[in-house]
Amino acid sequence: GPEGLRIYDYKTGKPPTVPQQKSFEKQLLLEAAMAERGGFKDAGKARVAGAAYIGLGGQGTTVPAPLDEIPPDQVWAQLRDLIARWQEPDRGYSARMAMMSDKDRSDYDHLSRFGEWDFSQDARGEDVG
């Protein structure tokens, strides 16, 4: 529409809170950044006027994406910066990066032998190739 696109993401469980979206659940923010760059062919290239998660269970809670605090241009710049940092040869790949809680489990815990070390130990680089 003339005012801009609106993006909705339906969740069967509880929608992520605004703080969770800022740090961990960036899907909706990334969708807004993609939409403003014409990433969705049928929608064209247009400004995103709003985005929100809608919880389908319980009260049908709607949680907006914090587009005013983290606008699409900023999200896109952060994504490009993250990709560039992963291209640095001296940077390692962590099996447990940005976990929401220390109690969370990763699909890669068994490969990293998580449980044989704890968070009080500093990470140590190692040449394995």
Side-chain angles (χ1 to χ4, degrees):
E3 68 174 31
L5 300 174
R6 297 210 174 260
I7 301 172
Y8 297 97
D9 188 329
Y10 297 93
K11 295 291 182 193
T12 55
K14 187 177 178 183
T17 64
V18 168
Q20 287 172 335
Q21 291 180 61
K22 289 179 184 179
S23 299
F24 302 104
E25 303 286 340
K26 299 200 178 249
Q27 177 180 329
L28 203 51
L29 292 167
L30 285 167
E31 288 175 10
M34 290 168 61
E36 290 201 352
R37 282 153 185 79
F40 301 99
K41 184 179 175 184
D42 293 339
K45 188 175 180 179
R47 188 180 75 80
V48 174
Y53 286 101
I54 300 173
L56 298 179
Q59 303 288 329
T61 306
T62 299
V63 181
L67 295 174
D68 54 338
E69 296 178 63
I70 309 175
D73 285 343
Q74 181 180 338
V75 171
W76 196 255
Q78 289 172 344
L79 176 62
R80 291 177 58 90
D81 180 58
L82 179 64
I83 292 170
R85 282 187 281 138
W86 284 120
Q87 299 301 313
E88 296 171 7
D90 294 338
R91 182 185 174 104
Y93 290 83
S94 173
R96 295 182 58 83
M97 181 166 288
M99 302 297 283
M100 202 175 313
S101 165
D102 288 347
K103 295 176 184 175
D104 286 347
R105 293 292 169 246
S106 161
D107 291 339
Y108 304 100
D109 284 349
H110 65 292
L111 296 174
S112 66
R113 297 166 65 174
F114 180 68
E116 295 181 24
W117 48 271
D118 62 40
F119 296 113
S120 66
Q121 295 175 289
D122 290 333
R124 194 177 70 235
E126 185 175 337
D127 186 1
V128 295

